[in-house]
Amino acid sequence: MATPLSPETRSYAERLKTALSSDYEAIYREAGGVLAHPFLTPGSEQYDDVLWDWDSWWSNVALRQILSAKGESHTAKALPYEQGCILNSLSICGLTGYIPMLINRQTPEEPPEGVPLVNMHKPCLAQHAAFLIRETGGDAEWLREKFMYVQYFLNNYRTHHRHERTRLYFWQNDVSIGVDNDPCTFARPLQSSGSIYLNCLMYRELLAAAYIADELGLNEIGNGYRTEAGALRDAVREYCWDEKDGFYYSVDLNIGHAYRGKKYFGNYGIHDGYHADWPCLIQRIGVWSGFLAMWAGIATPKQAERMVRENLLDERTFNAPFGVRTLSKLEKMYNVGAMGNPSSWLGPIWGISNYMTFSGLVKYGFEAEAAELADKTIGLFGRDIERFGALHEYYEPESGEPVLNRGFQNWNYLVLNMIAWREGGSPVAEF
């Protein structure tokens, strides 16, 4: 059971509610250029005036928490900006389904010819739309004429970003993957990363697409997406769960035969007596995104128990004074220094990793652990507001000191959703 908020944490919570609920409209941007609809930005100078994929989604979840206390007029004002995030992305989606991960006002209206083998919009587009549809009582009509492009988008992932043998999804390269320098993908061979982060997002994306289809009366399409989601869940459980460590990992899909086609012994090549018959290799690298198997609802209850007891609570690896280290402290790559392009996910505390891990804990009934993580996040951000009058992009795990990018709003505002849960209120949750 969760313990009551301490006086210090309660004080920080009140400070955060006051501060963050007063400047949220700084993430609103008006239509212009290629962006035909108003939209949401992360809300800091580093990311100003650009539509980002998972940033706009999570900013919207936090925004809805603020709006829940503001009244109907504020919610009505926000709706065009919220829906615009999805409609802008779909407006530049062609038959190939390609959507870039970020759109600025000068991005060409049509995607590049053909199907570029590059990373694209993360699989959170349907989730963002489903979230808004649910929040507005199931009204999906605003999306009806554009829903075919959601399907094109998912077709692109299925056709060009899915590994045939495992049925897992992979990144094309290490560019703009969201968790920039995750060692399971960063500087790795092309199309080799069966990322647990990507596959958990895709599982929820397929379920979201099924929900939207149902709301539009397209039940056969919805059933197809649910079947596809179930198959992906089973594949993640089969290939990404590690019974040894009690954790979900990314997998290496770069399995081949080094000497294939090279003849050394008559008609035979080296190792032709037995080729590798395993489709992937598990990457036992302690990355926070393994906890997304709980956030997504993929982990079984027994697996979740091991993940929490053997990994989340281990102070040598993930458990830090201010939240969840984005990379285990035992990894050789651990580094909490400031970095830009790529941003650092080699150990620093991020608001989004704290929140998504918290969300998974709540989903599986780990209330005491969820409360502890929420309180760490409230304390981290409360001190930042108290000292600097703003939040930052990421933080040192041990000291809680901000590392860079003052004024970063974005998913940091999800601390308000955590506060609502801690206070026994009605937290707004993602789809």
Side-chain angles (χ1 to χ4, degrees):
M1 293 292 292
T3 59
L5 287 168
S6 69
E8 181 183 42
T9 303
R10 185 174 300 280
S11 175
Y12 282 135
E14 292 302 320
R15 182 185 293 271
L16 286 166
K17 285 191 289 185
T18 298
L20 306 189
S21 296
S22 64
D23 66 354
Y24 68 92
E25 289 192 3
I27 69 174
Y28 291 5
R29 291 293 181 276
E30 302 305 324
V34 170
L35 295 161
H37 304 270
F39 59 99
L40 306 174
T41 73
S44 68
E45 292 182 2
Q46 293 288 333
Y47 304 99
D48 192 38
D49 210 35
V50 176
L51 175 58
W52 298 78
D53 49 12
W54 75 317
D55 303 74
S56 67
W57 166 43
W58 284 117
S59 294
N60 202 166
V61 176
L63 173 62
R64 278 278 159 166
Q65 188 66 53
I66 295 171
L67 295 173
S68 68
K70 290 287 184 179
E72 292 184 7
S73 63
H74 292 267
T75 302
K77 178 181 179 180
L79 188 58
Y81 297 90
E82 299 172 306
Q83 292 177 341
C85 296
I86 294 100
L87 295 175
N88 279 323
S89 293
L90 295 178
S91 70
I92 65 170
C93 179
L95 297 178
T96 66
Y98 172 78
I99 304 173
M101 75 289 297
L102 65 89
I103 308 170
N104 59 46
R105 298 186 188 275
Q106 291 74 46
T107 300
E109 292 186 13
E110 295 296 327
E113 292 185 5
V115 181
L117 296 183
V118 297
N119 294 328
M120 61 177 190
H121 193 299
K122 298 169 194 67
C124 58
L125 185 65
Q127 291 180 77
H128 193 169
F131 168 75
L132 286 176
I133 291 168
R134 187 196 66 192
E135 289 293 305
T136 53
D139 175 20
E141 286 304 314
W142 60 277
L143 193 63
R144 181 176 292 278
E145 296 304 315
K146 293 289 187 180
F147 185 57
M148 63 181 180
Y149 292 106
V150 174
Q151 296 173 74
Y152 295 163
F153 170 70
L154 293 174
N155 289 346
N156 187 311
Y157 263 107
R158 183 187 302 113
T159 304
H160 300 286
H161 305 255
R162 188 169 66 171
H163 186 244
E164 183 175 355
R165 292 181 67 187
T166 62
R167 315 306 284 172
L168 294 173
Y169 289 83
F170 56 79
W171 293 120
Q172 298 289 343
N173 51 44
D174 64 0
V175 178
S176 297
I177 62 173
V179 285
D180 292 16
N181 53 7
D182 173 355
C184 299
T185 304
F186 189 62
R188 300 262 312 131
L190 302 179
Q191 300 184 343
S192 68
S193 176
S195 163
I196 186 65
Y197 162 88
L198 174 62
N199 282 279
C200 287
L201 284 183
M202 181 56 75
Y203 173 66
R204 296 300 307 176
E205 186 78 346
L206 293 167
L207 292 178
Y211 166 78
I212 296 169
D214 288 347
E215 293 300 314
L216 292 172
L218 303 170
N219 302 106
E220 189 172 352
I221 292 174
N223 288 337
Y225 282 129
R226 267 184 289 276
T227 298
E228 197 174 335
L232 178 57
R233 177 201 59 212
D234 293 345
V236 173
R237 287 177 176 174
E238 178 178 359
Y239 295 111
C240 301
W241 170 253
D242 182 39
E243 185 65 22
K244 174 178 175 288
D245 289 353
F247 200 59
Y248 273 92
Y249 290 115
S250 296
V251 298
D252 180 6
L253 300 172
N254 191 30
I255 306 299
H257 195 296
Y259 304 100
R260 187 167 292 151
K262 297 181 179 180
K263 303 302 180 184
Y264 290 91
F265 305 112
N267 292 325
Y268 295 96
I270 293 177
H271 300 163
D272 267 1
Y274 182 79
H275 290 176
D277 61 3
W278 46 90
C280 63
L281 289 174
I282 205 160
Q283 293 177 293
R284 288 191 176 94
I285 301 173
V287 180
W288 76 276
S289 46
F291 295 113
L292 293 186
M294 293 175 62
W295 168 82
I298 290 175
T300 68
K302 288 184 178 179
Q303 289 172 346
E305 179 74 26
R306 289 195 63 191
M307 292 172 70
V308 172
R309 303 303 174 203
E310 298 175 29
N311 292 278
L312 181 65
L313 300 183
D314 190 344
E315 295 180 356
R316 301 171 306 160
T317 58
F318 293 107
N319 187 4
F322 290 93
V324 181
R325 295 185 184 94
T326 46
L327 185 69
S328 164
K329 196 174 183 179
L330 293 180
E331 297 294 347
K332 303 295 186 183
M333 302 77 74
Y334 184 78
N335 182 347
V336 299
M339 301 177 194
N341 191 24
S343 297
S344 179
W345 294 79
L346 297 178
I349 301 294
W350 286 72
I352 188 59
S353 44
N354 273 11
Y355 175 80
M356 294 182 81
T357 304
F358 158 84
S359 182
L361 291 169
V362 172
K363 182 172 293 186
Y364 282 81
F366 292 96
E367 292 195 357
E369 292 79 7
E372 180 181 352
L373 182 51
D375 290 358
K376 287 179 176 180
T377 309
I378 294 167
L380 174 68
F381 290 160
R383 291 181 183 90
D384 211 14
I385 289 290
E386 182 178 65
R387 295 170 61 201
F388 301 106
L391 302 181
H392 289 74
E393 191 164 359
Y394 53 84
Y395 301 80
E396 279 197 354
E398 300 295 329
S399 67
E401 287 295 313
V403 177
L404 54 72
N405 198 1
R406 181 179 182 274
F408 188 77
Q409 291 171 289
N410 202 357
W411 46 54
N412 284 353
Y413 280 38
L414 290 165
V415 68
L416 298 174
N417 305 59
M418 300 167 89
I419 290 171
W421 182 83
R422 281 294 278 132
E423 293 180 339
S426 299
V428 174
E430 61 276 13
F431 177 81

